[in-house]
Amino acid sequence: MFGTLRTLMVGANARAEERVRDTYAIELIEQKIREAQASLHAAKGTLASLIQRQRAETKQVQSVQTRITDLTTRAKMALKDGNDDMAAQAADAIASLENELEGRRQTVARLDQRISQLQHSVEVGHRRIVDLKQGLISAKAVRHEQQIQSRLNTTIRSQSSVEEAEELIAQVLGKEDPFEQSEILTEINRGLSQDTLADRMAENGYGAANKTTGADVLKRLKSK
């Protein structure tokens, strides 16, 4: 029981999330683009820092190489003059510089590798953002078309309602007038009734009318 309810709740939440994502799809795409741009900006900053450090290390390598060359020349001169003590000191300094040179060269090599990897990531990230922006343009165009279609559907439904109302009005106006129909029925009934036969014959000149009319009263008043 509880497992079924949990499954139904999970499904309902998933459908609700899908509706929200569909409703705010454009806003979500724009937010993802902003996040990607922020990440790309940070990656570019890191790349610039690595390149700056690599250049500094390269200069140090060149400087150490120059010092080694200089001390080697001086050590040779000291040996030539028979100054073994100075030559030995120079040799110790050269050995230390060579160890430093090797360490700096390894550092430069690691920096070169990291720079190459990060440059590739930056290029890929840049292309993906360009693709996202193009996709956003297409998505906005599609959403605009959907909104136009939705308004068109609303207009069509409104026209349908208008047409239905017009049909109802025509139906009402097309019905026969009940009062007029009642009068017609009354006339028909009077025509069928024998009570009015004498009056109708009087109207046609066959004898006097049984009912007193306004004309009869007026004639009677004038004769007095």
Side-chain angles (χ1 to χ4, degrees), residues 70 90 117 136 153 157 182:
D70 179 64
Q117 293 174 345
L136 176 61
N153 292 339
R157 287 194 295 270
S182 177

Side-chain angles (χ1 to χ4, degrees), residues 67-180:
R67 291 173 63 190
I68 289 173
T69 300
D70 179 64
L71 284 175
T72 299
T73 301
R74 294 175 186 278
K76 289 179 179 179
M77 292 172 63
L79 287 173
K80 186 176 180 181
D81 290 342
N83 192 341
D84 294 339
D85 184 53
M86 292 295 295
Q89 293 181 26
D92 290 339
I94 291 170
S96 178
L97 288 171
E98 287 179 348
N99 291 329
E100 179 182 351
L101 178 62
E102 181 61 24
R104 291 189 180 278
R105 282 175 174 171
Q106 291 177 0
T107 299
V108 170
R110 288 194 300 269
L111 288 172
D112 288 341
Q113 184 178 5
R114 291 183 61 188
I115 288 171
S116 178
Q117 293 174 345
L118 191 53
Q119 280 179 333
H120 176 71
S121 298
V122 168
E123 291 173 358
V124 171
H126 176 73
R127 288 195 297 269
R128 292 185 66 183
I129 289 176
V130 171
D131 292 341
L132 284 174
K133 288 182 177 180
Q134 292 176 347
L136 176 61
I137 293 174
S138 299
K140 285 184 176 180
V142 171
R143 178 56 58 86
H144 182 63
E145 293 174 0
Q146 291 174 344
Q147 291 173 346
I148 292 176
Q149 184 62 44
S150 178
R151 289 195 292 269
L152 179 60
N153 292 339
T154 301
T155 302
I156 292 174
R157 287 194 295 270
S158 298
Q159 291 177 348
S160 177
S161 299
V162 170
E163 292 174 356
E164 184 178 355
E166 290 175 346
E167 290 178 359
L168 290 173
I169 291 173
Q171 182 178 350
V172 172
L173 294 179
K175 287 185 176 181
E176 297 178 349
D177 187 351
F179 298 103
E180 181 181 1

Side-chain angles (χ1 to χ4, degrees), residues 34-46:
R34 286 191 292 269
E35 293 175 0
Q37 287 176 327
S39 298
L40 181 62
H41 180 74
K44 287 180 178 179
T46 302

